[in-house]
Amino acid sequence: MLKEVAANRHAWGLLAKDQYERFRQALSERHSLLNRIITSDLGDLNGRRLIHLQCNTGADTVSLARLGATVTGVDLVPENVAYARRLAEDCGIFDATFIESDIMSLQGTHHDKYDIVFTSEGALCWLPDLRVWAATIRQLLRDDGFFYVFDGHPFYQIFDETTLASGDLTIKYPYFSREPDRDDIIGGYTTYPRQAESYCWNYSVGDVINSLIEAGLRIRRFNEYDMLYYDLGGMEMIEPGLFRHERYRTKLPFAFSLKATL
């Protein structure tokens, strides 16, 4: 395991209990925490086998199960997996499966096939190698299945997050850099931040698309949105799970979705 991945594994473990408690409360108030874009793109999930990569403490996995899917969640962090199992039981989901695994090594240990491979919301930047990620998706997919991702757009992520809300578009993170960015704080938009070393990787739109193409997938749809899945600062909630900054309405992409098949 890369030292950066090991550091992330430890850092995210510090947040697991807080995230579990937050999501348990949210799921007691809402049937699903998935935003409208995701649920519309996924379509009818009844009877579908779905694997959720980088499932965190299982909030979206439980939401997918409530929408009819038979779910398997995968996460690197043991604390996340333990709390995901607990969250599923709290919500009356007793047939969900959760696997502790680094996505970078999942190909060698898990050989089941799925109708849908799913990932979303802040997941991709924690992966050191999108080619391995894409090859893993290819292995997990049934011939008639599809892959779906909804995540932050690489373009807005180049800007300084502390000044973006005020209209200052200072470039802080080079778009084409492949070196991991180190931070001493983990968390912030779903939990109280904790002091812990963590690393994330920049990626471009081309990196995402080409990694999937090289793995043998066909891109069926790529959409971009001027909304984000959390309040980056100065944003207004447009609907549950989607926020927009009026300053950047129609001007700046904050999220994207992609659907691919074999």
Side-chain angles (χ1 to χ4, degrees), residues 97-147:
T97 301
F98 292 95
I99 300 168
E100 180 189 331
S101 177
D102 184 353
I103 300 302
M104 296 294 100
S105 60
L106 187 63
Q107 287 183 80
T109 59
H110 190 70
H111 304 289
D112 287 358
K113 299 286 186 179
Y114 296 87
D115 300 306
I116 302 170
V117 178
F118 173 86
T119 192
S120 74
E121 300 189 350
L124 296 187
C125 67
W126 303 101
L127 297 173
D129 192 332
L130 290 185
R131 287 184 174 85
V132 174
W133 167 77
T136 302
I137 292 165
R138 171 66 181 85
Q139 177 179 298
L140 292 167
L141 267 182
R142 290 179 50 175
D143 290 345
D144 58 350
F146 69 86
F147 166 67

Side-chain angles (χ1 to χ4, degrees), residues 6 65-66 121 138 173 176 223 226 230 246 252:
R66 283 179 165 181
E121 300 189 350
R138 171 66 181 85
Y173 307 100
F176 295 106
N223 292 322
D226 62 355
Y230 71 102
E246 191 59 34
L252 189 64

Side-chain angles (χ1 to χ4, degrees), residues 2-3 10 47 65 87 99 126 129 146 167 173 211 241 244 249:
L2 292 174
K3 69 173 185 177
H10 169 72
L87 183 64
I99 300 168
W126 303 101
D129 192 332
F146 69 86
Y173 307 100
S211 66
R244 178 187 284 134
R249 182 185 179 95

Side-chain angles (χ1 to χ4, degrees), residues 39-215:
T39 55
S40 176
D41 286 347
L42 289 178
D44 185 5
L45 296 180
N46 283 298
R48 310 299 295 274
R49 292 193 72 213
L50 181 150
I51 186 166
H52 179 190
L53 305 182
Q54 297 169 270
C55 71
N56 196 265
T57 53
D60 284 356
T61 324
V62 168
S63 297
L64 292 160
R66 283 179 165 181
L67 294 173
T70 300
V71 296
T72 296
V74 183
D75 201 85
L76 168 74
V77 182
E79 294 90 344
N80 282 353
V81 172
Y83 278 114
R85 290 175 179 144
R86 186 171 170 181
L87 183 64
E89 292 179 2
D90 291 344
C91 295
I93 308 296
F94 299 106
D95 60 348
T97 301
F98 292 95
I99 300 168
E100 180 189 331
S101 177
D102 184 353
I103 300 302
M104 296 294 100
S105 60
L106 187 63
Q107 287 183 80
T109 59
H110 190 70
H111 304 289
D112 287 358
K113 299 286 186 179
Y114 296 87
D115 300 306
I116 302 170
V117 178
F118 173 86
T119 192
S120 74
E121 300 189 350
L124 296 187
C125 67
W126 303 101
L127 297 173
D129 192 332
L130 290 185
R131 287 184 174 85
V132 174
W133 167 77
T136 302
I137 292 165
R138 171 66 181 85
Q139 177 179 298
L140 292 167
L141 267 182
R142 290 179 50 175
D143 290 345
D144 58 350
F146 69 86
F147 166 67
Y148 180 80
V149 57
F150 179 92
D151 209 335
H153 199 290
F155 183 69
Y156 99 83
Q157 294 175 350
I158 70 175
F159 299 116
D160 187 336
E161 66 275 24
T162 65
T163 63
L164 186 63
S166 67
D168 180 355
L169 298 181
T170 298
I171 295 176
K172 181 178 179 181
Y173 307 100
Y175 187 71
F176 295 106
S177 173
R178 296 299 172 265
E179 294 300 313
D181 180 68
R182 183 183 185 276
D183 203 338
D184 292 319
I185 300 294
I186 190 76
Y189 77 89
T190 58
T191 62
Y192 293 111
R194 303 291 178 84
Q195 188 165 1
E197 179 182 338
S198 65
Y199 297 84
C200 60
W201 285 265
N202 296 323
Y203 57 89
S204 68
V205 170
D207 291 334
V208 177
I209 291 175
N210 289 331
S211 66
L212 294 166
I213 292 172
E214 290 168 12

